[in-house]
Amino acid sequence: MEIDPFIFRLSIFILSIFVGYYVVWSVTPSLHTPLMSVTNAISSVIIVGAIIAAISGGDGIIFSSSSLFGFLAIILAAVNIFGGFLVTQRMLAMYKKKKKEK
Amino acid sequence: MSANLSAILYLVSGVLFILALRGLSSPETSRQGNLFGIIGMLIAVTVTFLSVGNFSLGFIYVLIFLAIGGSIGAFIAYRIPMTAMPELVAGFHSLVGLAAVFVAISAFINPAAFNLGTPGNIKLASLIEMAIGAAVGAITFSGSVIAFLKLQGIMSGAPITFKGQHLVNASLLVLIVIITVYLSSTQSSNLFWILIAVSFLIGFLIIIPIGGADMPVVISMLNSYSGWAAAGIGFTLENTALIITGALVGSSGAILSYIMCKGMNRSFFNVILGGFGATDQKTRDQSKEQRPVKSGNAEDAAFLMKNASSVVIVPGYGMAVAQAQHALREMVDTLKKNDIKVSYAIHPVAGRMPGHMNVLLAEANVPYDEVFELDEINNDFANADVAFVIGANDVTNPVAKTDPQSPIYGMPVLDVEKCKSVLFVKRSLSPGYAGIDNDLFYKENTLMLFADAKKMTEDITKNL
């Protein structure tokens, strides 16, 4: 009997939860705020779905009802991707070590 | 582009996202990690364009909308003050949630675009995944909007409770399950809309009873939800990058909520069900009695610090409110010139989101190796001469160790009272978020400095 592809996706999902668990525990507490902003940015990879919804919807009609939701989702996700990564970068640039004393 | 190749590339971008989080284990590697994240995102978006392979007019519109969203995001990222980071993150969470809802709606209206069947005849598994993605997304959206309003001060930070609140929430959750079951057999679009509406309502209802200082838990929880919503959509779209990312973000948010709850010695449910509200009404009345406190001015504080050999700074949310981090760093610079050892002690729940204080101190150019977490520094208080508490309160209250009756009993606190002397900058003697009096105010070795945190810090610097 063939295995349903869903099972493969479920396996990836479960294993990723464990990877996430161990990786996030190793994040230093002083970087918890950048952690939140970067997870925000990467969860906006949902833009992948938004792009498919926007382009491949409605035969030839650019703004059919389904693609319209896709376009709106693109804007929202894009705000997050750019905003999330840039604000993380801005924060991380501020973390400096003590200057060596002469 | 072949389906197999794009699946592998999505996997690559998922791995890059893992590396992005891995980088955050130390500030040195974090910047590289962020770069990995950006590359991962670029790969995912490019692969999607190539695999859809439709470079017609629609594609140009996608680029336009991408540019609009991107410039708004970039503009916000560069303009936002660091003190407003909790609001920003809450706001961003709401966008992820809403985007998930929109993608789910689009997939429901036109399932053919995603190879999920035809309208009214969507594959059962896909429909359920879609419903979960939409519901969690909607809860994330409305919950984050409320969190944003509370943090921004547009809505009062006080918990809003009403009778039968938990019953209403529980029945709405049950309702969502029932709707999903009916939806999967009838495929009715009306049910799908009702499902989304009910989910919006739940998100709203679960956040309104949670008070301002519990926001670190709420934000982390919503962070987690936004991940689960993304994962739900990932299953619908059969997209590995989304599934991996959703799982990563989901568990990251869950861990942060756990750390925050542990920092307050409260269970997750205690926080979510609206915590501190009703139980401490009694304590609040009892503590009305007057006790003598010693108060001083900037000169006294400067005198104490000048004669110290080591000073520990304890910052809290009040420092963020007063925007005192730069003034504080100037004061510390002056102290260091006088050969006084200075370190910073940060409680896990200081501020309004995990790591809030660390970012503010980093912004004020405080080197991160002078900043310590609770368990790293707690033993040092006994050897320090002066503790300078600025904008923190409940997290320093020794009652948490001594009085089993106290609502904060058992909460890990900074052992500030072990210092030879304590300087406590505060505007008044009013109790902190937990609504209880801080015993530290009345200790023999405590000097209260009643003033605005920023102004007081500046005055002390002048007197040093």
Side-chain angles (χ1 to χ4, degrees):
Chain A
M1 205 182 122
E2 217 178 315
I3 299 170
D4 189 324
F6 172 80
I7 303 299
F8 288 119
R9 287 191 283 276
L10 189 67
S11 320
I12 294 173
F13 180 64
I14 304 286
L15 291 175
S16 304
I17 292 179
F18 279 92
V19 171
Y21 179 85
Y22 289 106
V23 168
V24 172
W25 270 119
S26 75
V27 171
T28 163
S30 67
L31 291 177
H32 276 163
T33 299
L35 171 67
M36 299 203 90
S37 60
V38 85
T39 48
N40 222 312
I42 63 172
S43 59
S44 302
V45 70
I46 200 159
I47 198 168
V48 164
I51 294 172
I52 300 173
I55 303 187
S56 37
D59 330 278
I61 313 156
I62 291 173
F63 292 111
S64 65
S65 59
S66 72
S67 63
L68 194 63
F69 278 110
F71 281 114
L72 290 176
I74 288 179
I75 296 191
L76 298 178
V79 172
N80 250 321
I81 292 174
F82 282 76
F85 280 125
L86 290 174
V87 87
T88 310
Q89 202 169 36
R90 209 182 122 199
M91 275 192 273
L92 294 177
M94 299 185 312
Y95 282 81
K96 291 187 196 90
K97 253 193 158 156
K98 212 182 317 196
K99 279 186 212 118
K100 278 188 194 123
E101 298 189 16
K102 285 171 193 167
Chain B
M1 190 179 245
S2 88
N4 285 336
L5 181 59
S6 51
I8 286 174
L9 289 173
Y10 279 132
L11 183 64
V12 169
S13 86
V15 171
L16 285 168
F17 290 152
I18 296 174
L19 293 176
L21 300 192
R22 185 74 185 87
L24 289 170
S25 56
S26 101
E28 282 114 82
T29 54
S30 62
R31 285 171 276 260
Q32 191 195 27
N34 199 38
L35 195 63
F36 282 141
I38 296 173
I39 298 171
M41 188 61 74
L42 266 174
I43 295 179
V45 171
T46 315
V47 170
T48 312
F49 280 142
L50 294 177
S51 58
V52 174
N54 176 0
F55 296 101
S56 58
L57 196 56
F59 176 68
I60 295 169
Y61 276 104
V62 168
L63 290 184
I64 293 173
F65 281 83
L66 200 67
I68 296 174
S71 11
I72 299 173
F75 179 77
I76 299 173
Y78 281 113
R79 295 300 295 273
I80 192 94
M82 286 297 144
T83 41
M85 210 43 74
E87 290 96 306
L88 179 75
V89 169
F92 277 174
H93 286 156
S94 73
L95 300 185
V96 179
L98 196 59
V101 174
F102 284 168
V103 174
I105 292 176
S106 178
F108 186 80
I109 301 178
N110 185 9
F114 300 92
N115 293 323
L116 305 174
T118 51
N121 192 19
I122 302 170
K123 280 187 281 183
L124 181 63
S126 309
L127 189 64
I128 295 172
E129 291 154 4
M130 215 182 275
I132 294 173
V136 181
I139 294 174
T140 312
F141 172 71
S142 55
S144 302
V145 168
I146 301 298
F148 175 81
L149 294 177
K150 285 196 170 198
L151 286 164
Q152 188 81 322
I154 297 171
M155 202 172 143
S156 153
I160 299 167
T161 47
F162 57 87
K163 229 179 150 188
Q165 195 159 24
H166 305 321
L167 194 68
V168 172
N169 291 350
S171 26
L172 283 176
L173 277 175
V174 174
L175 185 64
I176 284 202
V177 177
I178 297 174
I179 295 174
T180 312
V181 171
Y182 272 97
L183 177 68
S184 45
S185 62
T186 61
Q187 306 241 352
S188 141
S189 57
N190 284 340
L191 277 176
F192 190 69
W193 297 115
I194 295 173
L195 175 76
I196 292 174
V198 175
S199 308
F200 277 133
L201 187 63
I202 289 193
F204 173 76
L205 287 174
I206 54 173
I207 306 300
I208 54 167
I210 306 179
D214 282 336
M215 281 303 147
V217 181
V218 171
I219 296 190
S220 319
M221 183 184 87
L222 291 166
N223 186 241
S224 178
Y225 285 1
S226 70
W228 304 132
I233 301 294
F235 275 102
T236 319
L237 308 186
E238 311 186 344
N239 183 305
T240 333
L242 253 175
I243 294 176
I244 296 178
T245 316
L248 289 178
V249 178
S251 51
S252 159
I255 290 173
L256 288 177
S257 337
Y258 170 77
I259 296 175
M260 293 301 113
C261 287
K262 222 177 87 198
M264 298 192 286
N265 189 39
R266 292 168 64 193
S267 75
F268 183 68
F269 285 102
N270 180 276
V271 175
I272 294 311
L273 297 179
F276 278 144
T279 44
D280 26 288
Q281 215 58 46
K282 269 180 248 148
T283 3
R284 206 166 288 180
D285 297 335
Q286 279 167 7
S287 58
K288 280 275 146 68
E289 51 168 318
Q290 293 282 319
R291 283 193 277 173
V293 292
K294 274 196 286 184
S295 77
N297 56 28
E299 272 172 60
D300 305 331
F303 177 79
L304 265 171
M305 285 205 249
K306 234 191 294 188
N307 291 306
S309 60
S310 65
V311 173
V312 183
I313 314 254
V314 183
Y317 181 59
M319 180 190 80
V321 175
Q323 306 259 12
Q325 64 271 30
H326 297 279
L328 181 67
R329 211 274 331 247
E330 277 165 33
M331 185 188 92
V332 170
D333 284 350
T334 321
L335 288 175
K336 280 193 205 154
K337 267 183 218 147
N338 291 322
D339 281 332
I340 298 166
K341 189 178 162 269
V342 184
S343 41
Y344 298 81
I346 308 223
H347 191 275
V349 293
R352 285 291 187 264
M353 74 184 291
H356 193 189
M357 289 299 123
N358 304 78
V359 169
L360 292 182
L361 292 177
E363 189 203 9
N365 281 320
V366 172
Y368 62 80
D369 39 8
E370 286 175 13
V371 183
F372 299 94
E373 304 300 317
L374 177 116
D375 43 355
E376 293 171 329
I377 200 168
N378 229 3
N379 293 328
D380 296 355
F381 279 107
N383 303 320
D385 296 311
V386 176
F388 185 72
V389 184
I390 174 168
N393 186 357
D394 289 335
V395 298
T396 62
N397 196 342
V399 154
K401 289 176 288 192
T402 53
D403 177 12
Q405 300 299 315
S406 166
I408 62 166
Y409 181 71
M411 169 170 141
V413 287
L414 293 159
D415 295 334
V416 175
E417 79 282 358
K418 288 187 183 154
C419 264
K420 288 198 192 80
S421 47
V422 179
L423 294 170
F424 213 115
V425 185
K426 209 171 175 309
R427 265 174 300 200
S428 69
L429 274 182
S430 60
Y433 174 67
I436 52 165
D437 225 10
N438 192 340
D439 266 3
L440 200 58
F441 297 165
Y442 312 104
K443 292 261 181 204
E444 194 65 7
N445 55 353
T446 303
L447 190 67
M448 298 297 295
L449 306 167
F450 293 112
D452 172 71
K454 189 176 175 194
K455 199 173 166 303
M456 177 53 79
T457 316
E458 285 164 350
D459 287 349
I460 294 175
T461 314
K462 274 181 216 149
N463 280 298
L464 276 169

